[in-house]
Amino acid sequence: ILAPALSAGMYWNPMVVGFEINDSEHLGIWEKERRESLGPSRFSGQTLFLKWFYFENFYLIAARENRSAKILNINYNREGEGKAMFGMFLDTKVFSLGTGLLRFNEIGFLSIDIIRLSFLQNQSFEVVEYGETWSELSGSRERLDQNIRERSDKWLGWLNSSTGFIVTFGVNF
């Protein structure tokens, strides 16, 4: 939703081989809402996929996905304890398996990935601190470090999560 994908594929009966690319900075349709909720941020991904048809319109999908998020200007401020501003840069690589439905007509197609189960292959994250006063005011960074760990785990969990009901429509030729 934050970064719709551009998708291209080639159909060879009974398979479709293709790729998808998305980037909230260039393709995002909810940019205003994303900036209001998350501040300066960017979500992107690339997917290579293979769809194998096992009934007339139903398919199994196998995909290799690179997903990333860059969330800048995160604040963690507590009165009397400290203030901090930092950014998070997260990258994951997952392999996903799923099933879906594809319908063709004369001018286009509609594809729905009903479910895609994700299996984590690799993940990394980096936190860049722009400034903090926790060490000076409270004498300890423990609560700040805990908050950073919890936020990183939450974002990595979202990036690594399985997906469902992914709708793709377009033209065929």
Side-chain angles (χ1 to χ4, degrees):
I1 292 174
L2 293 174
L6 291 177
S7 181
M10 185 71 88
Y11 178 72
W12 288 297
N13 193 18
M15 292 184 282
V16 173
V17 177
F19 68 92
E20 296 173 343
I21 186 166
N22 62 359
D23 188 332
S24 65
E25 210 49 36
H26 302 291
L27 303 172
I29 58 175
W30 301 105
E31 185 170 345
K32 179 180 178 254
E33 291 80 359
R34 176 178 51 86
R35 289 192 183 278
E36 287 174 359
S37 297
L38 300 172
S41 57
R42 184 177 188 175
F43 299 90
S44 61
Q46 302 85 35
T47 303
L48 298 173
F49 64 83
L50 172 71
K51 296 177 180 180
W52 178 74
F53 292 89
Y54 59 94
F55 285 128
E56 186 172 323
N57 294 322
F58 290 93
Y59 59 82
L60 296 174
I61 183 171
R64 170 119 163 93
E65 303 177 56
N66 297 322
R67 303 171 180 173
S68 66
K70 294 169 181 55
I71 304 103
L72 306 173
N73 300 340
I74 301 170
N75 293 303
Y76 184 60
N77 302 330
R78 295 295 180 264
E79 192 66 40
E81 293 186 65
K83 296 182 178 186
M85 181 181 280
F86 55 94
M88 299 179 90
F89 304 91
L90 308 112
D91 290 301
T92 66
K93 291 179 179 29
V94 298
F95 177 75
S96 59
L97 294 172
T99 188
L101 171 70
L102 179 67
R103 299 287 305 207
F104 284 102
N105 65 21
E106 297 80 35
I107 60 169
F109 68 92
L110 172 67
S111 174
I112 302 172
D113 291 357
I114 298 167
I115 184 91
R116 269 198 207 173
L117 301 173
S118 295
F119 305 95
L120 178 65
Q121 291 184 315
N122 189 9
Q123 70 181 16
S124 65
F125 73 95
E126 177 184 1
V127 175
V128 177
E129 289 186 19
Y130 305 124
E132 64 93 9
T133 61
W134 283 79
S135 301
E136 298 168 18
L137 294 178
S138 66
S140 173
R141 289 180 46 104
E142 189 174 319
R143 285 193 57 201
L144 173 60
D145 291 338
Q146 179 183 353
N147 180 268
I148 291 172
R149 275 191 307 276
E150 288 171 0
R151 287 181 191 227
S152 328
D153 290 345
K154 185 184 297 185
W155 277 104
L156 287 170
W158 286 336
L159 287 174
N160 298 335
S161 66
S162 297
T163 56
F165 204 68
I166 300 171
V167 178
T168 307
F169 56 92
V171 296
N172 60 44
F173 47 91

